[in-house]
Amino acid sequence: MSERGRYGLMAAFADADTLVEASRAAHKKGYRKMDAYTPMPIEGLGELLGCGEREKAKVSWLALAGGVFGGCCAYALQYTSTTLGWYFLSGGKPANSWPDFIIITFEMTVLFATFGAVFGMFWLNGFPKLYHPVFNVERFSRASSDEFFLCIEDRDERFDIEKTREFLEQFKPIEIVEVPK
Amino acid sequence: MSVTDKSSGNIPGSINLATIRKKLAGTRGREYWKGLEQVAETPEFDEFLHAEFPRLAAMWDRKIDRRTLLKLMGGSVAFAAAGLAGCSRPIGVIVPYVNMPEGEIPGKPMYFATSLTLGGHARGVIAESYTGRPTFVEGNQEHPASLGAIDSYAQASVEQLYDPDRAQVATYRTIPGTWSAFIEQMGFQAAKMKASGGDGFAILTQSITSPSLLAEIRQVQKRFPKARWYRYQPVGREGVDAGAKLAFGERVNTVYHFDKADVIVSLDADFLGLMPGHLAYARQFADGRRQKPGKPIKMNRLYVIAGTPTITGASADHVLPVPSAKIDAVARSLAARLGIGAAGGTTEAQAHWLDAVVEDLKKHYGRAVVVPGDVQPPAVHALAHAINARLGAVGGTVTYTEPLEPDGAGSLKDLTDAIDHNEINRLLVLGGNPVYDAPADLDFAGHYARVEERIYWSHYPNETAYMSYWHVPAAHELESWGDALAYDGTVSLTQPLIAPLYHGHSAYEVLRVVSGANADTDYDVVRGYWRQHYRRYASNGEAFDAFWKRSVQRGLIDNSALPAKTPHLRDDLASRLPQPLFRQRRGLYLQFRPDDSIFDGRFANSAWLQELPRRLTKITWDNVVMLSPRTAERLGIDNKELVVLGYHGREVTGPAWIMPGQPDNAVTVQLGYGRKRAGRLGTGVGFDVYPLRRADAMWFDDGLTLMKTGKRVFLATTQYHQTMEGRGLLRTATLDHFRDHPHWVDEGYPGKPPKLHESLYPEPAEKPPLEYRWAMNIDLSTCIGCEACVIACQAENNIQSVGKEEVLAGHEMHWLRIDRYYSGNMEDPETYFQPVPCMQCENAPCEYVCPVEASVHAEGLNAQVYNRCIGTRDCSQNCPYKVRRFNWFRYQTGRPTSTPVAAENPDVSVRQRGIMEKCTYCIQRINEAKIAADKTDRRIPDGMVETACQRACPTQAISFGDLNTSHSKINQVKDSPLDYEMLAEINTRPRTSYLGGLTNPNPALAKKDKNA
Amino acid sequence: MPQVFRPRANAIARVLIIFAVLFVAIWGAVLWGYYQTPYVGFTGKAPYQPVPFSHKHHVGALGIGCRYCHNGVTKSEFAGIPPTHTCMTCHSQLWTNAPMLQPVRQSLETDTPIRWVRVTKLPDYVYFNHSVHVKNGVPCQACHGRVDKMPLVWKVHGFRMRFCIACHLNPGPHLRPENAVYAMGWKPKIDPKLLAAKLMKHYHIKTAHLTDCYVCHR
Amino acid sequence: MNPAADKKSPLMPPDLDLTALSDRLVGIVTTNKTPRSWMYAMAFFIFLTMVYLFSISWVFKTGVGLFGLNIPVAWEFPIASCIWWIGIAHAGTLISGVLLLTRQNWRPAIARFAEAMAMFAIIFAGAYPLIHLGRPWFFYWLMPYPNTQGLWPNWKSPLIWDFFAITSYLLYTTCFLYLDLLPDFGTMRDRAKHRISRIFYGIMALGWRNSAKHWARFDRANMILAAISAPIVVSVTGTISLDLAVTIVPGYHFTIFPAYFVAGALYSGFATVIVIAVPFRKMFGLEDLITPRHIDYIAKVMLGFVLVVDYSYMCEIWTAFYSGAPYYYGVYHNRWFEYYAPVYWTTYFLNIVVPQAMWFKGVRRSVAAMFVIALIADLGMWMERYFIVVTSTNRDYMPSAWLAKLPTGWDFAVLLGSIGGFCMLMLLFIRVLPLISLHDMRKLIIRKKGNVETTE
């Protein structure tokens, strides 16, 4: 038990099914501040752990915002730089040759949508977050390859070290550890 | 270009004289003009870097700044700025005059009327000079032999002037000596000669028409009665003189007037290409073919009996290919048909052809003319004189004057004989290059070596110079005073634009020094001569100074043309005619011709001329052995295959060229190549044919053998595809067809551009309307393919030459090219020329593909902004006319082919490596005119702006002007029913258009239907 | 244990990201600023001259007109640098043996030009024509500044393409009546806007194609 | 996932569980004994890279005249190669994007290095047009930035479209690849041996900790990028084809070009995936993860696209002759009978006749055969790009300007050099990161167990 206090209680499971079962139970039991750690995405876990459709939609919205921003800027730049101020006659085409401007507008839309999605995801996930208490657990390194973890956090008002441990025991985890902050 | 000067045509005489006196007095020419440069000290460096990036340039050439630059690149910009803003960096040096010559305005060119000679005959030119630096020459409208036009040789004189390979200093036995040492030694020897009356002293000159120089020679002969004068010109006109003697018993100068002629028959005469007066002749001929708006449709008719294809033949309505050697026979048959002498042997086809021609000639009594070629033997000339007399041409289409050159000079043969008899111990060679270009059988080199004292005066340290004791560098015609006669005898004056760059001296000085007289300057001599003789031409009681000023201003002496005279034709001419030549042929005929570009070899070191595509073959940097297709077939010779020419035991090897229109069994080779000491460029280019030349057969002979070698070589041609693939690019028709179908140019060709509403965009996309809409038109009926425009464009626009390897790689730079297409059969095809400059499209395909707006529309023109170009080359990809040129490497400096920096036009950017360039309609001239007009708030009057190509064109085939000026010449031309736009159907809307070509074939010989 | 970083790593990471962003922004600003510096534009600093000729004295104090020495300005693209003789027209009488003028006298004696240090120079691919500008009412001052206040002449403008374009797009405000073209520090009496319009009409200036490339580049 | 697939030979060894998977794939990176073959290959490709760098610097110093260029033929090798490289890139994007959307279970094994391939290919593709500039040191004039001239790029120019397309494609691919790598960076961080590498991977992982919330957002972002992949692929090669198509050059000016180029691009791209996969699976003993069945799937896709390409050939010819313009007949007369005819006919043989072999299952399943066919496909597509670029302008409107031009040694040096550089980067990549996406494979394994819903 470190001096920095406790982050939560973590249970390791051998397979995904048990983890899902446990998390579902925990959710039913009213635990809210908890998180599951799995080597690969597992359907439905998100909803149980408070990262539901609304949360995911944020990413989509950011992507859309990015796209719109990129597209508008691109067209605005092309339009203003050819029609306002001084411009050149080129190939007998008018200043605002909109068909010629479409491609760059499109490319920029796509590019900034990409940025929106990727950096939006980073932002929502709070990256970069190089240090995190869960890493203090020795076994946790397997979360990125073959084991499944459920961590009920200390800050959950229902959290009680004994009760929670009992609760987790019933799913026969490989191991239960306290996660120091 | 200053328009004010040109329009009013006044070339301030006295003022210039003042300048020139100063120049002549001035120190070494080089510093002189360099000192006047209003740019930084090393122009070439500047031009290179500044084209690239001004500030970089300013920094790059100084140590401290290179350091700064590195810092800048290293990234500590702020530091560099802060740390070094203190130290002031000189941008360059600016050097004013000490005492500005009167009338000189730095930054404005001055124009001097002067004249340049070729083979002794003068063409008047106007030379442009920037702060004392000649940069450009163009024709002098007032000069009868030029009429404002110019030929490629004269055009290249500027390049030759600055040629770094020119002789730089007087040498004795090739060791640098001094002019004063020369004077000293000559004075000493002259004294000795005086005693012997000049015994053993001989002067060898080229043909000279200069009155003052001839007077000088007479002076020498007076001082040394035993001195002898010989004359040799590799491209000589002995046949002409001898022919006249034969016909009239006296030498005459024949002047033709093609403007008066309806039917012209050329007996192997290239009067459009290079006869004396060819510029004037071309103009007269073209005026007879041009269709003038509102005038009745008519044009003259030209028959050419051609020993080898020439541009004259290409412009002809009917060509009869006959080996030069057999033209004698044809001429006799022609004459016989007109009742003169006995017929020579002709073939069936020839006979039929001649019948038709003679009919035509008879029909046009008094308006017909027969022109014998310079290369033809006396008999042909004599017959031509007789025929012309019989046709009532004399006094009309032909006039005779006193000969331009006096008699009294021995031939080269006489000289070598004299040397054989040890009669010559001191030989002064004034110009020419006899060691290289003398007929081989005379073995001039061998004889020359036997002369004790060999003095040579010439531009280049060439073959002859190498064998001479004293070699004195010659002052260029743009560096010295002089005079010469034009083809009609008009006295043309030469004035210097610059003090000799390379310690050159004029022929006068050399002649005087050698003959021990006091070495007056050429200025004193020429002026002195005319002070004595001016009264004949001066308006009554005119003072000499006024006369001189007037004449120098105009570059010629008014109405000094020789008066016409009518020599009496011998009645017994027929009987006096020599036996017909070549009754039966041995082997093949060998024919020599001066080269389209380098003449007799004197221009071999000129990159401009070497790279100028030969008029018909489009070959650069080489000469070839021309064979007719049939002959090549018969001998199994492949194009570009090396063949060995065997003639009188001598052998020469050169690449074969299968020449459509070349007479069978006749092999033509060009003079002037295979130089051994021409300079960096000329040495070793092509193969030397002088070893095959014999004094008794200067132009043609039989007995030639041809041997295959099986080895093929690369020839750098600029046009690889010779037919038009049935595309309506170049449109021609016969005159009769034109009469019946006035709008034939549009009939049966891809149509007009699409209607406006068919375009996605509103058309035409224009900023507020333009004040000027420049446009060009090229008349295909009068373009003779002489390529004067190409080289004029090169000179005006700082276009670089690139050398044979680069031309082979397809990297040539000429903005204006002359496409040459053949049609019809290989034996005597029709040949068409089509000059192709930038079309200045209004919907320019090149523009919209440029990512950086280097190719945009400016002032209604299709601008190419060099300093913005990054060289994607998409514009060239998208140019349907392929008129854009790219600087693949750094051509502009540092290569032997680079144009001398001093010769470059300060009004045009010198393009750097990696950028695209193209025809700009000479925007610098347009801008000058616009500025001049703008300053006085008036419009540019029609005809004030002339593009370089337009001005150079001998036939005025190119018209240029402003479409917004109503009734401007260009508008009239474009209203012609013959006007058409090339590739109009792809909707590029070119500003450059063409007038469909017309020919006027004889119905009796209805083969040549030129209707494409 | 899988923990690789210390808690403070998070903070550090965030700070680094912010710095990265700032760095790019600042770098851009610096570059932009650098191009405005007198160092790049050669402005503001009078180079040393062989003869310390003072425009301040000759123009400002003595009131000699520009065209007396730069007489090419109305006729040619090049305003012209006076030949030694022009200097000597006065200095053969005045200050005939001032050591300062030694180079001038020497130039005349030895017939070697004075080598002035260039102050203003445009790239070779820019074809600026003085005469057309002064004839159309563009005053010397517009480009060369208050020369009458310069002991040794320096450059006041960087002469970037923007500078030229700005005026070619809207010449009006820079124009002056014909009599004031060569004046220094001239102030319009009437409302500048009115004057501009009047002068544009007076000089027949049409701006539509004044920014076409071919106006300055060939 | 389709049950049919299970009846066939498996896409991965049945006994492969999560632990074994991680051990094997991570092992490839963390192992200390690098395969000999890798060493030799690396040495060779570093040499080629040197050749590349030297030749482009020399061209930079001397001038683009070194390439086989002249006035009718102002574009050749570099542009052809640029189009070719971009095409190769597209397969990577498409595999990791479109196949993700369509839940192809043969995707995971090949997606990762295909994506890497895409990125490196774009780098070399993008370099070509710059090398090919007359004044490459002014390339930045293509970018819109406030400058002292007050000028902007010419937005009407297809080359500017190109510049933007390639740039955004490169950035997009980088994002997509990094996103896909993020969880695997996490794995590497947790399994790397040395502290240094752990820190490196740790930083790259940005603190990824496999939380279900991470996964949820990760999935969404991944899906969005996947959805973008298709339009970007089409638009980029489409744009490049417009470089040619918007000109008025007969032989360039065909409306079918975008579709035609995209199909060709994907054909050569998938071929390249095979060309890369085959040696790698040997080198690192991955025969059981990248199985003949994978190759088979790719082959089917290739066949599909090559048929589109062949259709386009015919369509183009038909258009040319239907146009009724002599210039368009000229183009085909030129391609069929003139100087460049051998290139044309070889191309047709390679791209029409040879691919038909892929109709046969035996061929598709034979790794060796497919390797050869794939190489041929790449060659064929390169030659196609070459003849399109060159044989159109060398004889267009003006017969007098017609001229052919052979490539020079520099052309080949730069082309081979770029291939070398590309391979070098690929080799480097697989020694630093798992060449097969771990988390995708895990999904596959879990799904095989069949009782848990994993997202896709």
Side-chain angles (χ1 to χ4, degrees), chain B residues 53-91:
Chain B
F53 191 13
R55 197 162 56 74
L56 205 68
M59 299 172 82
W60 197 248
D61 52 359
R62 285 175 196 76
K63 218 190 214 70
I64 173 163
D65 305 314
R66 198 177 299 117
R67 200 175 70 239
T68 350
L69 190 74
L70 291 177
K71 277 193 184 151
L72 191 155
M73 286 166 163
S76 55
V77 172
F79 173 72
L84 282 148
C87 70
S88 82
R89 301 158 300 159
I91 308 178

Side-chain angles (χ1 to χ4, degrees), chain B residues 582-640:
Chain B
F582 309 106
R583 277 271 159 65
Q584 61 279 70
R585 165 170 60 90
R586 302 168 285 110
L588 298 164
Y589 292 116
L590 171 62
Q591 307 181 159
F592 300 95
R593 286 287 187 281
D595 186 68
D596 290 346
S597 280
I598 66 174
F599 199 56
D600 58 3
R602 69 182 63 190
F603 299 110
N605 205 44
S606 157
W608 289 2
L609 286 168
Q610 285 279 18
E611 193 147 316
L612 186 68
R614 309 302 180 253
R615 290 155 176 174
L616 286 155
T617 57
K618 298 291 162 193
I619 293 173
T620 62
W621 295 96
D622 259 313
N623 59 337
V624 290
V625 179
M626 289 184 182
L627 296 168
S628 82
R630 272 210 220 91
T631 314
E633 224 168 332
R634 186 163 57 74
L635 302 172
I637 291 170
D638 194 359
N639 204 22
K640 302 185 188 179

